[in-house]
Amino acid sequence: MLNIDALRSEFLGKLSSVKSLEELKKLKSEYTSVINNLLKTLKDLPPEDRPRAGSQINQLKTFVLESIDSLESEFKKESLEKQLQSNWQDMTLVLDSPIGALHPITLVKRKILNYFRQIGFSVWSGPLLEREDYNFDLLNVPKDHPARDMQDTFYVNIQGYLLRTHTSCVQIRALLSSPLPIYLVSAGRVFRRDDDPTHSPMFHQIEGLVVDKNLSFGQMRAVIEGFLKHFFEEDVNLRFRASYFPFTEPSAEVDISCIFCRGSGCSVCKNSGWLEVMGCGMVHPAVLRNCSIDPEVYNGFAFGAGLERLAMLLYRIENIKTFFENDIRFLKQFNV
Ligand code: PHE
């Protein structure tokens, strides 16, 4: 006769002294083979005893496996608890690390590009190391123009290349590669050999170009007016003064009524009541022709402004150098 009860109590004794998952595994394999061996002895019993013995062995098997499983899940729960305790971190702990701020030039650039995106312009970019012909020749800048002089332009020792002196070269890139009509803006760094409180050898410009059919100076004026009113968040008055750029004809310099004294005269506007903010004009037919566009069919207008100049007016900053010194006390004022 099988002594199932003795086996069961022997198993319970061993189970109660198990301390770890490893020990439990050993116990499991020990009893699996004990039970398997028992099942093998069934065939030696008289046939009439086999069903009862079989069912007793199977009950023992179920009991053993269930007891082991429940102890196993207890062990696992315990070890997870332990792990959670040792890895515990206080997610509510306030770390005293200062939060960065966007650079004022970045803020101004985003404000402008977002405005033009909203009125349907696309945003282009161009390389800082630019082809000399895109920066000058195709923009109708004559070979002997003073801007090409070594005093103004940073040439590099790669024949035919320079550090772009303005963003107007992006106009050429667009005219050569984009289907018409074109409504674009572009902003980025430009370089000139210039250095005083209002000039820096590296600064940023924003460029706008529209090429379509039957465009007028009045439409250009409306676009520029909308932009400047949005930018200064003020109902500024505009004044267009005749000017000269090789790539536009006619050309104009745009002034706004002084945002500091509202036109009555102050030190910022040098008592004139006006602030010069940008250049603009109707795209010169020669520029269109240089890019294989028929100026009898299409015309255009373009405008350009210095981002530092706009930022200095918007934030009332006096020296252009403060943009590039990266003094944390200056920069953190723009933390919004
Ligand atoms: N590229 C000119 C400058 O750097 C600005 C400008 C752009 C003028 C577009 C007219 C049209 O001064």
Side-chain angles (χ1 to χ4, degrees), residues 196-199 260 267-268 308-309 311-313 315-323 330:
D196 64 45
T198 54
H199 296 90
F260 301 102
S267 63
V268 185
E308 281 78 4
R309 167 95 180 131
M312 283 166 87
L313 294 173
Y315 300 124
R316 300 170 194 213
I317 295 164
E318 272 170 20
N319 192 323
I320 195 170
K321 296 293 178 319
T322 46
F323 289 121
F330 169 73

Tab-separated table of all heavy atoms in Angstrom, residues 196-199 260 267-268 308-309 311-313 315-323 330:
chain	number	residue	atom	x	y	z
A	196	ASP	N	31.378	98.098	-34.625
A	196	ASP	CA	31.196	99.256	-33.731
A	196	ASP	C	29.934	99.014	-32.908
A	196	ASP	O	29.324	97.946	-33.031
A	196	ASP	CB	31.147	100.567	-34.568
A	196	ASP	CG	29.951	100.635	-35.503
A	196	ASP	OD1	28.825	100.304	-35.063
A	196	ASP	OD2	30.121	101.020	-36.680
A	197	PRO	N	29.507	99.969	-32.039
A	197	PRO	CA	28.371	99.660	-31.147
A	197	PRO	C	27.079	99.237	-31.855
A	197	PRO	O	26.230	98.577	-31.249
A	197	PRO	CB	28.168	100.967	-30.378
A	197	PRO	CG	29.514	101.595	-30.361
A	197	PRO	CD	30.132	101.255	-31.677
A	198	THR	N	26.918	99.576	-33.130
A	198	THR	CA	25.691	99.139	-33.809
A	198	THR	C	25.979	98.148	-34.942
A	198	THR	O	25.064	97.718	-35.635
A	198	THR	CB	24.895	100.341	-34.380
A	198	THR	OG1	25.762	101.120	-35.206
A	198	THR	CG2	24.326	101.213	-33.266
A	199	HIS	N	27.252	97.786	-35.145
A	199	HIS	CA	27.609	96.810	-36.181
A	199	HIS	C	28.478	95.704	-35.609
A	199	HIS	O	29.332	95.955	-34.773
A	199	HIS	CB	28.360	97.484	-37.336
A	199	HIS	CG	27.532	98.485	-38.069
A	199	HIS	ND1	27.480	99.811	-37.714
A	199	HIS	CD2	26.693	98.342	-39.119
A	199	HIS	CE1	26.656	100.457	-38.518
A	199	HIS	NE2	26.155	99.589	-39.390
A	260	PHE	N	9.670	105.056	-29.333
A	260	PHE	CA	10.032	105.511	-27.987
A	260	PHE	C	9.399	106.856	-27.654
A	260	PHE	O	8.936	107.073	-26.558
A	260	PHE	CB	11.556	105.581	-27.847
A	260	PHE	CG	12.201	104.249	-28.107
A	260	PHE	CD1	12.814	103.986	-29.325
A	260	PHE	CD2	12.149	103.238	-27.148
A	260	PHE	CE1	13.380	102.744	-29.577
A	260	PHE	CE2	12.716	102.002	-27.405
A	260	PHE	CZ	13.332	101.748	-28.626
A	267	SER	N	16.477	110.609	-28.037
A	267	SER	CA	17.865	110.268	-28.362
A	267	SER	C	17.944	109.051	-29.289
A	267	SER	O	18.847	108.944	-30.112
A	267	SER	CB	18.651	110.013	-27.077
A	267	SER	OG	18.097	108.903	-26.403
A	268	VAL	N	16.986	108.114	-29.158
A	268	VAL	CA	17.051	106.912	-30.004
A	268	VAL	C	16.853	107.265	-31.477
A	268	VAL	O	17.576	106.793	-32.353
A	268	VAL	CB	16.012	105.840	-29.563
A	268	VAL	CG1	16.187	104.557	-30.369
A	268	VAL	CG2	16.137	105.535	-28.081
A	308	GLU	N	19.161	91.996	-35.452
A	308	GLU	CA	19.678	92.662	-34.251
A	308	GLU	C	19.054	94.048	-34.115
A	308	GLU	O	18.648	94.451	-33.027
A	308	GLU	CB	21.204	92.773	-34.304
A	308	GLU	CG	21.939	91.480	-33.939
A	308	GLU	CD	21.945	90.463	-35.067
A	308	GLU	OE1	21.447	90.789	-36.169
A	308	GLU	OE2	22.442	89.344	-34.862
A	309	ARG	N	18.979	94.758	-35.248
A	309	ARG	CA	18.391	96.099	-35.233
A	309	ARG	C	16.941	96.027	-34.735
A	309	ARG	O	16.534	96.792	-33.862
A	309	ARG	CB	18.458	96.663	-36.656
A	309	ARG	CG	17.639	97.903	-36.898
A	309	ARG	CD	18.464	99.150	-36.743
A	309	ARG	NE	17.698	100.366	-36.983
A	309	ARG	CZ	17.700	101.396	-36.181
A	309	ARG	NH1	18.411	101.385	-35.059
A	309	ARG	NH2	17.010	102.475	-36.486
A	311	ALA	N	15.551	93.643	-32.967
A	311	ALA	CA	15.530	93.200	-31.561
A	311	ALA	C	15.944	94.343	-30.635
A	311	ALA	O	15.390	94.506	-29.547
A	311	ALA	CB	16.457	92.000	-31.367
A	312	MET	N	16.918	95.153	-31.054
A	312	MET	CA	17.375	96.274	-30.223
A	312	MET	C	16.228	97.263	-29.998
A	312	MET	O	16.057	97.796	-28.900
A	312	MET	CB	18.574	96.980	-30.875
A	312	MET	CG	19.872	96.197	-30.707
A	312	MET	SD	21.202	96.761	-31.781
A	312	MET	CE	21.919	98.061	-30.790
A	313	LEU	N	15.432	97.472	-31.044
A	313	LEU	CA	14.297	98.385	-30.906
A	313	LEU	C	13.193	97.753	-30.056
A	313	LEU	O	12.654	98.381	-29.150
A	313	LEU	CB	13.751	98.770	-32.286
A	313	LEU	CG	14.695	99.610	-33.152
A	313	LEU	CD1	14.115	99.786	-34.555
A	313	LEU	CD2	14.948	100.976	-32.514
A	315	TYR	N	13.318	95.341	-27.789
A	315	TYR	CA	13.664	95.128	-26.375
A	315	TYR	C	14.437	96.298	-25.776
A	315	TYR	O	14.915	96.216	-24.651
A	315	TYR	CB	14.491	93.841	-26.226
A	315	TYR	CG	13.789	92.593	-26.699
A	315	TYR	CD1	14.362	91.777	-27.668
A	315	TYR	CD2	12.551	92.220	-26.172
A	315	TYR	CE1	13.729	90.617	-28.103
A	315	TYR	CE2	11.915	91.064	-26.599
A	315	TYR	CZ	12.507	90.272	-27.570
A	315	TYR	OH	11.883	89.131	-27.995
A	316	ARG	N	14.594	97.355	-26.525
A	316	ARG	CA	15.344	98.544	-26.067
A	316	ARG	C	16.734	98.193	-25.578
A	316	ARG	O	17.112	98.432	-24.431
A	316	ARG	CB	14.549	99.274	-24.976
A	316	ARG	CG	13.248	99.668	-25.584
A	316	ARG	CD	12.201	100.192	-24.711
A	316	ARG	NE	10.979	100.132	-25.562
A	316	ARG	CZ	9.996	100.972	-25.520
A	316	ARG	NH1	10.000	101.959	-24.683
A	316	ARG	NH2	8.965	100.853	-26.324
A	317	ILE	N	17.503	97.601	-26.460
A	317	ILE	CA	18.886	97.217	-26.152
A	317	ILE	C	19.801	98.206	-26.869
A	317	ILE	O	19.552	98.548	-28.032
A	317	ILE	CB	19.157	95.777	-26.643
A	317	ILE	CG1	18.278	94.795	-25.861
A	317	ILE	CG2	20.631	95.421	-26.520
A	317	ILE	CD1	18.171	93.437	-26.491
A	318	GLU	N	20.864	98.678	-26.165
A	318	GLU	CA	21.653	99.746	-26.756
A	318	GLU	C	22.878	99.300	-27.538
A	318	GLU	O	23.240	99.914	-28.533
A	318	GLU	CB	22.049	100.771	-25.690
A	318	GLU	CG	20.945	101.801	-25.581
A	318	GLU	CD	21.096	102.733	-24.408
A	318	GLU	OE1	22.211	102.850	-23.876
A	318	GLU	OE2	20.074	103.348	-24.046
A	319	ASN	N	23.517	98.223	-27.076
A	319	ASN	CA	24.750	97.810	-27.741
A	319	ASN	C	24.578	96.430	-28.376
A	319	ASN	O	24.200	95.469	-27.716
A	319	ASN	CB	25.898	97.793	-26.726
A	319	ASN	CG	27.245	97.667	-27.398
A	319	ASN	OD1	27.385	96.963	-28.399
A	319	ASN	ND2	28.241	98.348	-26.852
A	320	ILE	N	24.889	96.343	-29.670
A	320	ILE	CA	24.697	95.093	-30.417
A	320	ILE	C	25.537	93.958	-29.832
A	320	ILE	O	25.173	92.779	-29.932
A	320	ILE	CB	25.016	95.311	-31.922
A	320	ILE	CG1	24.477	94.167	-32.772
A	320	ILE	CG2	26.511	95.507	-32.149
A	320	ILE	CD1	24.539	94.427	-34.270
A	321	LYS	N	26.648	94.314	-29.158
A	321	LYS	CA	27.563	93.290	-28.621
A	321	LYS	C	26.888	92.434	-27.534
A	321	LYS	O	27.273	91.289	-27.327
A	321	LYS	CB	28.819	93.948	-28.033
A	321	LYS	CG	29.676	94.699	-29.057
A	321	LYS	CD	30.304	93.737	-30.034
A	321	LYS	CE	31.128	94.388	-31.124
A	321	LYS	NZ	30.633	95.583	-31.744
A	322	THR	N	25.885	93.003	-26.847
A	322	THR	CA	25.254	92.236	-25.766
A	322	THR	C	24.595	90.950	-26.300
A	322	THR	O	24.407	90.001	-25.555
A	322	THR	CB	24.182	93.070	-25.029
A	322	THR	OG1	23.368	93.718	-25.999
A	322	THR	CG2	24.810	94.114	-24.139
A	323	PHE	N	24.273	90.917	-27.598
A	323	PHE	CA	23.674	89.700	-28.162
A	323	PHE	C	24.676	88.549	-28.225
A	323	PHE	O	24.303	87.397	-28.258
A	323	PHE	CB	23.174	89.958	-29.589
A	323	PHE	CG	21.958	90.842	-29.633
A	323	PHE	CD1	21.997	92.042	-30.331
A	323	PHE	CD2	20.787	90.478	-29.003
A	323	PHE	CE1	20.874	92.853	-30.396
A	323	PHE	CE2	19.661	91.283	-29.054
A	323	PHE	CZ	19.711	92.480	-29.750
A	330	PHE	N	22.068	88.979	-18.843
A	330	PHE	CA	21.351	89.585	-19.968
A	330	PHE	C	20.343	88.578	-20.543
A	330	PHE	O	19.164	88.866	-20.704
A	330	PHE	CB	22.361	90.001	-21.049
A	330	PHE	CG	21.749	90.394	-22.371
A	330	PHE	CD1	21.076	91.605	-22.504
A	330	PHE	CD2	21.851	89.561	-23.484
A	330	PHE	CE1	20.517	91.983	-23.724
A	330	PHE	CE2	21.288	89.934	-24.704
A	330	PHE	CZ	20.619	91.149	-24.813
